[in-house]
Amino acid sequence: MSGMPARISRADVAHVARLARLDLTDDELERFTDQLGAVLEHARDVEALDTEGVPPTAHPLPLRNVLREDVVTPSLDRDEVLAQAPEAEADRFKVPRILGDA
Amino acid sequence: MSTEAPATDAPLSPDPSGWEMVIGLEVHCELRTATKLFCGCRNEFGSPANTNVCPVCLGLPGSLPVINQMAVEYAMRIGLALHCHVEPSIFHRKNYFYPDMPKDYQVSQYDQPINLDGWLDLPGGTRIGIERAHMEEDTGKTTHVGGGGRIHDAGYSLVDYNRAGVPLVEIVSRPDLRSSADARSYVDELRSVLVATGASDGKMEEGSLRVDANVSVRAAGSAELGTRCEIKNMNSLRSLGRAIEYEAARQIALLSDGGRVVQETRHWNEAEGTTRSMRSKEEAFDYRYFPEPDLVPLAPSASWVAAVAYALPPMPAERRARVAAATGLDGDSDSVVTVVRLDLDSFVMAAVDVGADGALAVRRLANEVAAHLDGARPLDPDAFCRLLLLESQGKLTTAQAREVLRRLLSQGGSDPAAVAAALGFEAMGAGDLGDAVDGVIAANPAEWARFAAGEDKLQGFFIGKVKAATAGKADLKAVSALLRERRA
Amino acid sequence: MSGPAGGRGPAVELAAGVRSGERRAIDALEDYLVAIAEGDDQIHAFNHVMAESARAAAAAVDEAVAAERDPGPLAGVPVALKDNLCTRGVPTTCSSRILDSWLPPYDATVVTRLRHAGAVIVGKTNLDEFAMGSSTENSAFGPTRNPRNLDRVPGGSSGGSAAAVAAGFAPLALGSDTGGSIRQPAALCGVVGAKPTYGLVSRYGLVAFASSLDQIGPFGATVGDAAALLDVISGHDHMDSTSLPSAPPSAAARLSDGVEGLRVGVVTELTAAEGIAAEVVARVRQAADALAAAGAKVEDVSVPAAVYGLSAYYLIAPAEASSNLARYDGVRYGLRVPGADITEMYGQTRAAGFGAEVKRRIMLGTYALSAGYYDAYYGQAQRVRTLIIRDFEAAYETFDVLLSATTPTTAFEIGAKTSDPLSMYLSDLCTIPSNLAGHPAITVPFGTGTDGMPIGVQVLAPALGETVMFQVAAAIEDAARAHEEAVR
Ligand SMILES: [Mg+2]
Ligand SMILES: [Zn+2]
C-alpha cells in the first residue's frame, strides 16, 4: 500500500476546491489549508495500523442481491418538479451555457 | 478546456502506408426494461420532457436507489452471449459535475463488473476480445439553445431527465480492431447479438446503441500500443467509420510530423467531419471512484446464471451456421449475414421445411424482403413458402415471383397463387411455350440462321421476341433452354 | 411499568390515554404548542413549527378514537423531526442556505410510519448544516441552545431534536446519527437517544451525509419512550437497499426484565481514555456498579481498534459526504447564484450555499478520494473499519453489552470550539466506533457534572442487539433515578 502523501498544500486545496466546484476566497483557501492539514495529520494514526490482508469494509451489512421487480411505479407531477427549479423553460431545467467539461 | 487551431487539427492527407490502426470500441446499450435501473419510472423513448422522473432519478435529497432485477438479467444475457464470465459485482460512484447527471455522480460498475473476459467472432472469423460488459445508469438529455445548437456556442442549455437512470450495459472490446471496416462490422454483429438476447431494441437512431471509439496508430508490425484518443458522439455506423478514418489520419499526420498524441476525449463533429478536443486534461481522469454505499453487492447465484444461460436463444453465428447447413450457402456470405441480421432466418428454415429451395429463399429475403422491411404489412411465412414453391416448380417465372412477393410485402395476403392470378400471371404450359418459341423462329428466319450458325448474342433477340409474344408470362430460363435445344 | 412499551414515560402514557379516550390528542398538542411558543425564542430548537398540519393530524387521531378505529401505537404523541428528514410540501432545509425554499415532493419512510402510528408531527428541528457538527452551531439559521443552560451548546448535529425533548417541546423526536449525532446531544441535554443497528431503520428520505454510517434514531425523555418510538420506525423498507430484510428486534420487549446474569463489559478505550473527563468516567463506573449490584457480571474489556475510529471516520464520512453533496448544484432545486457559464454558476452557488464546516468536509473528502490518495486514505480507513468490527465481535463473544462514556465532557460553551474543528471532532470519540461497526448504541442520562450539566452513559450492543441494549439501558435509568433520590 502507498503511504500517506505529504502535508496538504495550498495548491492541493485549490485543486480540490475546483474539483468540488467551490469558489473559495483567498482567506478561505488559507484557513482551510491549515485546518485540513490538522485533520489529516490526526488521520495519520490509521497509517500506523498493520492492515496487511485485511479486507476493506465498505458496508457494515452482509446483504447481497437486493433487487426490485421491473414494475412501473408512478412518477412525479412535472409541474411540481419544475416548480422547484431555479429556472425552467419548455418543460426543461434551464442552465447557463456549458463550457468544456462543466 | 484546451483549444487547438483548426490548421494543426486537420490532417494533410498523410500517407497511411506503414501505419496500423488500433481500435477498441465501447458500446453503450440501453436495456429494454419497463423501468429505469434504480427506480420505477418508465424507461421509454419519446415521452414528453421530464414526465418519467421521481425523487430517485432526479437525485432529490434523501432518495435511494434499488436495482432493477430485469436489468441484471439482461446484463447477464449480454455477458453470456458474448462468452463472458458472470462475476460477483459492485457499483461505484463516478464523480463529476455535469447538468445531465442529477446526482453529479454516475452509478457505474468499475473494477468489479458483472461480465468479464469474453469474445465476439465477426462474420469471416475475426475474433474480437471483450474485456468487460458492465452495468451503469444513463444520463439525462441536454439541448443546447442558440449558437446553432452547438454546445460551446449555445446561449444556454435545457435538460430533460427522462433518460436519466435508464439502465445501460457498456460493452468494452479489447483493442483488437484494425480498420474502420472492422469496427463497423463489429458494431453490426454486436447489435444483432444484443437484439437476439432480447436485451436491446438495437435502434441506433434513437440512441439505444451508442458507440465510443478508442483510436491509436502505430508503425505497422509494432507490438506496442500508441497513445489513444477516445472519440465520442458518433450516431451512425457511417459516422463511426468516418470518425475513425479522420482520427487515425490526424494522429498519423501528428506523428509523421514528429509530434505527439495527447491522451484525451475528442468530440466527433458530423457537419465538419472532424474530431475536436473536449475535456480538460487535468480533471478528465479524476473521477474519485468509490463503492456506492447506497447499494449492496450483486452476486448472482450459479443457478440464476445457469437459468439465464439456458433460456438464451441461439445467437447470430449459430443461426448463420444453421442457415448454411440448410441451404448449402456459405454462412459468412453477405446474403446469409443479412438474412440473420434482419431476423429473417426463420423464413429460410420454414421454406426448407416445406421442400422449397433454401438458397432461393435466402436470395429473395436478402433482396426483395430486405428492401421492403419497413413495409406496412408483415410477411406471412406460409405465403412466402408457397410462393417459392410456385417459382421452383416453374409455375411462375422469376420476374412474376418477384412481383408477387412485392405485392405480398406492400399489401399483405396469404395466397400467392391468388395474387398471381389477380396480376394475370398464368402458369404457361411447356407445350404452349414451345409453340411460342417455334412461332418466333418461323417469323425471323434470317436471324435464326445466324444464331444457328453460332452467333450467340442473338439469343437475347429471341428471348425478347418470345417475352413479347407471351406478354411476359414466359419463364425466360425455360425459353433459353428451348432455344438451345432447337439449335442443337 | 406495564404494557408492551413498559409504560415508563410521558409519551407512552399519553398514547395510552389517547387510545383509551381519556385524553384528547388535540389538547395534548396545544399544550406542547404553547410550550414551544413560550420557550423556543430562547432555545431555537425548531426551524419550522407545523402547527396547522399538526392540529389536523391530532384531530384525525381523535376522530379515529371516537369512531373506534385503531389510532396507532403512538396515537396523539407529538414528535419533532430533525430537519434533514423529508416532509412532503414542508420545508426541509438541513439548516443550509443551499436548500433555500425547497419543498420535498415526498415523505421520508420514517415520516410515513409515524403518521400511520398516529404520531403528530409538530415541526422540523435545527441541526448542524447537513448534520455536520457536534454543537448545532453550524446552522445557517443560528445555533440551538442547551435548555439546561442557555450559554451551552446542546451538542449536535441533532441538537434541535435533543433540545426539543429536553425543553418539553415534544415528548419524542427523531434525529440522525452518523458519528454520534443523536447520542452526543442526548447526553449533553440529559435525554435518552439511540442509534439503531445499521439497516434497522430505513434511510429513505433522510438527506444523506455519509451513507454507510447514517442511521435515524429516537430521542425520548425516558428509555421506554425511545424504545416505543424506535419500534414504530424500525423494519424493512423496499425503498432502501441497505434495509435489513429480517423482522426487527423489539426495543421495548424486555425493559422491565432487569440485568440478572447479563455480562457487561466496560470498554477501557472509550472510558478511561485521554481527554475523557474524570467526572464522566466516574459516572460510567457508578452505572457499572449499579448494574453489578442488580446482578450483572461486570468486567473491563479492551477493544483496541476503537481508538482508531475517529481517524477512520474523518476520512470515510467526508469522502461519502463530498459525493452526496455534489447534487446541490443550483440546477434542479434550492439556491442558485447566477453565473456567466455553468462552471461559474456551480462554484458561486456552492460557495454561497454551504457553510464553512460543510465546505471543509467536502474538501477533505474530495481530497481523500482524489487520484493517488484513495488507497492511503479511504481504502486504509475501510480496512481499519474491518479491524474495529473484528475487535467488537471478539468482545461480544464474552459480553452481552458494552458500557462506555458517551461524550468526553459535559456541554461546552457556545463558541468555545468553533475555531478549532479538530477539538470539535474529538467530542465524537466514544460514539463513532458504533457507526463504523454498524452496531447499535444508546445513551442514558446518569447524573451531572460539577457544572450541573448532564452526563450520559453509553450502552453498546452487537448488531440487532437492541432488545438487550434497551433492557440494560432501562436498568441504568432506574439506577440513575435511585442515585438522584439518594443524593437528594
Ligand atoms: Mg461508462
Ligand atoms: Zn425515477
Side-chain angles (χ1 to χ4, degrees):
Chain A
M1 187 195 333
S2 57
M4 295 246 170
R7 190 174 175 94
I8 189 167
S9 69
R10 194 186 150 107
D12 290 335
V13 174
H15 171 69
V16 164
R18 157 134 183 85
L19 275 179
R21 298 297 183 272
L22 286 169
D23 288 358
L24 298 185
T25 63
D26 283 353
D27 275 4
E28 281 178 310
L29 261 185
E30 203 65 48
R31 200 163 61 243
F32 287 159
T33 303
D34 286 348
Q35 290 169 339
L36 297 193
V39 176
L40 289 167
E41 194 60 40
H42 191 267
R44 275 172 185 270
D45 62 0
V46 303
E47 197 184 15
L49 275 176
D50 181 9
T51 56
E52 189 71 42
V54 176
T57 296
H59 233 277
L61 295 178
L63 293 178
R64 294 279 179 281
N65 299 326
V66 176
L67 302 166
R68 64 176 180 86
E69 296 208 6
D70 187 20
V71 174
V72 175
T73 53
S75 293
L76 289 170
D77 174 65
R78 178 166 70 190
D79 293 339
E80 192 182 1
V81 166
L82 290 173
Q84 298 296 315
E87 257 194 292
E89 183 179 300
D91 300 328
R92 291 161 172 85
F93 295 85
K94 184 175 174 183
V95 298
R97 66 202 183 107
I98 301 165
L99 296 177
D101 59 353
Chain B
M1 178 72 215
S2 72
T3 50
E4 287 172 52
T8 62
D9 222 22
L12 306 161
S13 28
D15 179 9
S17 65
W19 294 94
E20 180 179 54
M21 287 188 208
V22 177
I23 304 159
L25 296 182
E26 293 171 10
V27 176
H28 286 86
C29 166
E30 281 184 358
L31 303 180
R32 277 183 53 203
T33 50
T35 67
K36 295 186 180 183
L37 181 52
F38 298 125
C39 66
C41 289
R42 239 173 256 286
N43 168 14
E44 186 175 71
F45 180 81
S47 301
N50 292 306
T51 52
N52 298 332
V53 294
C54 74
V56 177
C57 58
L58 275 175
L60 295 190
S63 66
L64 295 171
V66 185
I67 302 170
N68 181 342
Q69 171 162 5
M70 199 60 211
V72 177
E73 180 145 346
Y74 280 147
M76 290 198 285
R77 284 196 207 174
I78 291 172
L80 292 166
L82 296 172
H83 314 94
C84 292
H85 309 282
V86 175
E87 302 279 347
S89 60
I90 61 172
F91 286 89
H92 273 67
R93 290 187 185 176
K94 180 180 183 179
N95 294 283
Y96 64 98
F97 283 84
Y98 207 85
D100 65 9
M101 245 181 0
K103 303 179 293 291
D104 290 297
Y105 56 79
Q106 182 194 28
V107 178
S108 172
Q109 295 187 324
Y110 177 52
D111 56 1
Q112 292 180 56
I114 184 164
N115 300 301
L116 267 178
D117 206 18
W119 43 267
L120 177 66
D121 283 343
L122 305 186
T126 311
R127 177 161 292 188
I128 306 303
I130 303 291
E131 192 181 304
R132 53 192 282 148
H134 67 260
M135 302 179 70
E136 62 184 29
E137 58 177 340
D138 208 343
T139 60
K141 232 176 171 144
T142 311
T143 316
H144 307 294
V145 181
R150 279 184 305 274
I151 181 166
H152 298 129
D153 307 327
Y156 57 92
S157 299
L158 297 174
V159 195
D160 167 14
Y161 292 106
N162 280 345
R163 201 183 63 184
V166 162
L168 296 177
V169 166
E170 180 178 341
I171 300 134
V172 182
S173 86
R174 296 195 184 281
D176 291 349
L177 299 156
R178 293 289 172 270
S179 68
S180 62
D182 262 8
R184 294 179 57 158
S185 161
Y186 169 84
V187 174
D188 247 337
E189 181 66 6
L190 180 60
R191 174 163 58 181
S192 94
V193 167
L194 295 172
V195 171
T197 62
S200 168
D201 63 18
K203 292 180 184 166
M204 256 184 124
E205 66 284 3
E206 289 185 5
S208 306
L209 279 188
R210 301 194 293 273
V211 185
D212 300 336
N214 285 300
V215 178
S216 65
V217 297
R218 65 184 174 194
S222 162
E224 261 164 57
L225 290 173
T227 304
R228 68 195 156 96
C229 288
E230 187 179 7
I231 317 301
K232 288 184 179 290
N233 196 43
M234 288 94 49
N235 40 28
S236 68
L237 278 184
R238 200 178 101 83
S239 46
L240 173 68
R242 288 178 69 205
I244 289 172
E245 292 292 339
Y246 172 87
E247 178 60 19
R250 186 188 73 88
Q251 293 183 14
I252 292 169
L254 257 176
L255 296 171
S256 306
D257 247 18
R260 210 168 54 82
V261 175
V262 178
Q263 184 171 346
E264 62 183 354
T265 301
R266 299 180 68 87
H267 199 83
W268 168 248
N269 185 318
E270 182 75 35
E272 286 174 19
T274 59
T275 64
R276 232 205 263 184
S277 178
M278 67 186 278
R279 283 246 162 96
S280 61
K281 279 156 268 162
E282 78 272 20
E283 277 191 33
F285 304 105
D286 198 350
Y287 292 126
R288 286 157 286 138
Y289 282 100
F290 74 103
E292 161 61 290
D294 289 330
L295 293 171
V296 301
L298 269 179
S301 65
S303 61
W304 189 13
V305 178
V308 172
Y310 182 76
L312 214 56
M315 288 301 119
E318 186 186 337
R319 285 159 54 187
R320 288 197 296 268
R322 277 191 207 175
V323 170
T327 61
L329 297 169
D330 176 359
D332 290 337
S333 66
D334 287 350
S335 55
V336 174
V337 169
T338 301
V339 163
V340 170
R341 216 155 258 177
L342 298 178
D343 226 356
L344 297 170
D345 43 329
S346 57
F347 286 87
V348 180
M349 305 319 279
V352 171
D353 278 351
V354 298
D357 179 351
L360 178 63
V362 168
R363 249 190 339 270
R364 290 283 168 272
L365 290 163
N367 296 307
E368 282 76 14
V369 177
H372 280 82
L373 259 198
D374 14 304
R377 296 175 185 268
L379 181 60
D380 176 358
D382 195 43
F384 176 72
C385 292
R386 277 191 283 151
L387 176 60
L388 290 176
L389 286 173
L390 289 174
E391 185 180 351
S392 35
Q393 289 157 7
K395 291 184 179 158
L396 287 174
T397 67
T398 297
Q400 289 172 334
R402 282 175 157 165
E403 183 55 31
V404 171
L405 183 53
R406 278 192 281 270
R407 287 293 168 116
L408 290 175
L409 286 163
S410 60
Q411 291 165 20
S414 57
D415 185 355
V419 173
L423 286 166
F425 298 162
E426 284 157 38
M428 201 168 209
D432 294 344
L433 189 58
D435 290 351
V437 170
D438 290 340
V440 169
I441 292 172
N444 301 281
E447 287 78 5
W448 179 252
R450 282 160 58 202
F451 179 64
E455 203 172 323
D456 283 349
K457 66 178 181 194
L458 279 165
Q459 176 168 325
F461 168 82
F462 283 103
I463 289 175
K465 290 285 178 193
V466 175
K467 198 173 162 187
T470 59
K473 287 179 203 164
D475 180 339
L476 302 182
K477 265 183 280 176
V479 172
S480 47
L482 283 171
L483 287 170
R484 282 195 299 275
E485 198 183 290
R486 297 287 189 274
R487 179 167 76 169
Chain C
M1 293 189 205
S2 62
R8 298 182 70 94
V12 293
E13 280 168 20
L14 172 57
V18 170
R19 288 171 60 84
S20 69
E22 268 167 55
R23 298 180 65 178
R24 292 204 316 158
I26 189 74
D27 298 336
L29 172 67
E30 294 299 345
D31 289 347
Y32 283 105
L33 290 176
V34 166
I36 294 168
E38 286 176 354
D40 202 39
D41 278 356
Q42 296 271 306
I43 291 168
H44 186 212
F46 285 93
N47 285 343
H48 185 80
V49 178
M50 297 159 61
E52 284 321 302
S53 62
R55 287 188 176 107
V61 168
D62 289 331
E63 249 175 65
V65 173
E68 294 183 0
R69 276 178 280 128
D70 185 351
L74 288 182
V77 178
V79 180
L81 302 178
K82 188 176 183 178
D83 201 13
N84 61 354
L85 294 166
C86 288
T87 40
R88 185 181 175 108
V90 176
T92 298
T93 67
C94 297
S95 289
S96 180
R97 272 188 295 274
I98 210 152
L99 277 173
D100 177 46
S101 72
W102 181 54
L103 299 176
Y106 75 109
D107 274 332
T109 297
V110 289
V111 173
T112 306
R113 288 191 183 222
L114 282 177
R115 294 192 202 282
H116 287 160
V120 173
I121 293 161
V122 287
K124 310 292 291 287
T125 62
N126 199 12
L127 63 149
D128 285 299
E129 184 178 3
F130 283 103
M132 296 178 185
S134 308
S135 68
T136 317
E137 291 166 289
N138 303 327
S139 164
F141 310 127
T144 296
R145 292 170 184 275
N146 193 314
R148 297 285 197 101
N149 178 338
L150 297 180
D151 295 330
R152 303 286 178 106
V153 301
S157 64
S158 313
S161 285
V165 172
F169 296 159
L172 296 175
L174 287 183
S176 66
D177 189 315
T178 306
S181 279
I182 291 174
R183 291 160 289 158
Q184 188 256 16
L188 300 193
C189 289
V191 299
V192 175
K195 182 204 87 79
T197 302
Y198 186 84
L200 189 68
V201 178
S202 170
R203 293 185 294 117
Y204 193 76
L206 165 65
V207 180
F209 162 14
S211 311
S212 77
L213 304 167
D214 295 341
Q215 246 331 256
I216 298 168
F219 286 95
T222 67
V223 171
D225 278 2
L229 179 51
L230 178 56
D231 283 344
V232 162
I233 60 171
S234 63
H236 181 68
D237 177 18
H238 66 277
M239 297 299 282
D240 177 357
S241 302
T242 64
S243 165
L244 290 163
S246 49
S250 164
R254 286 199 234 139
L255 293 178
S256 309
D257 282 12
V259 293
E260 179 81 52
L262 289 180
R263 299 160 305 166
V264 179
V266 180
V267 183
T268 50
E269 288 83 357
L270 303 180
T271 303
E274 195 194 325
I276 301 179
E279 62 184 9
V280 173
V281 178
R283 293 303 183 191
V284 178
R285 291 292 172 198
Q286 279 172 355
D289 292 347
L291 292 177
K297 252 187 69 193
V298 183
E299 274 174 57
D300 279 7
V301 62
S302 174
V303 182
V307 298
Y308 297 100
L310 194 69
S311 300
Y313 175 85
Y314 276 99
L315 295 173
I316 292 169
E320 294 182 8
S322 69
S323 174
N324 282 331
L325 271 64
R327 68 190 64 189
Y328 306 102
D329 62 5
V331 174
R332 290 157 301 276
Y333 44 82
L335 182 74
R336 170 184 294 188
V337 176
D341 60 57
I342 197 157
T343 308
E344 196 181 306
M345 187 277 278
Y346 283 158
Q348 292 289 322
T349 297
R350 292 164 62 79
F354 291 135
E357 183 60 29
V358 172
K359 289 178 187 171
R360 247 189 310 272
R361 298 211 198 183
I362 288 174
M363 291 203 295
L364 193 56
T366 304
Y367 184 70
L369 290 176
S370 182
Y373 305 143
Y374 175 88
D375 199 56
Y377 285 136
Y378 193 74
Q380 176 71 345
Q382 298 282 41
R383 284 184 282 272
V384 169
R385 202 169 173 180
T386 307
L387 295 179
I388 291 172
I389 293 172
R390 285 178 184 173
D391 281 2
F392 271 115
E393 279 172 358
Y396 289 124
E397 279 172 21
T398 314
F399 298 99
D400 297 301
V401 296
L402 302 175
L403 218 59
S404 81
T406 307
T407 62
T409 64
T410 58
F412 44 90
E413 300 226 325
I414 289 179
K417 297 189 181 186
T418 41
S419 59
D420 182 2
L422 188 56
S423 83
M424 184 80 85
Y425 295 175
L426 289 169
S427 55
D428 294 332
L429 183 74
C430 306
T431 47
I432 278 172
S434 305
N435 298 86
L436 291 169
H439 295 168
I442 186 170
T443 183
V444 185
F446 201 104
T448 56
T450 52
D451 56 2
M453 295 302 287
I455 288 173
V457 170
Q458 183 174 227
V459 183
L460 304 90
L464 298 175
E466 271 80 359
T467 304
V468 68
M469 181 178 90
F470 274 86
Q471 181 183 352
V472 173
I476 293 174
E477 182 177 54
D478 287 343
R481 276 198 199 121
H483 185 261
E484 230 167 89
E485 273 153 30
V487 172
R488 254 182 233 142

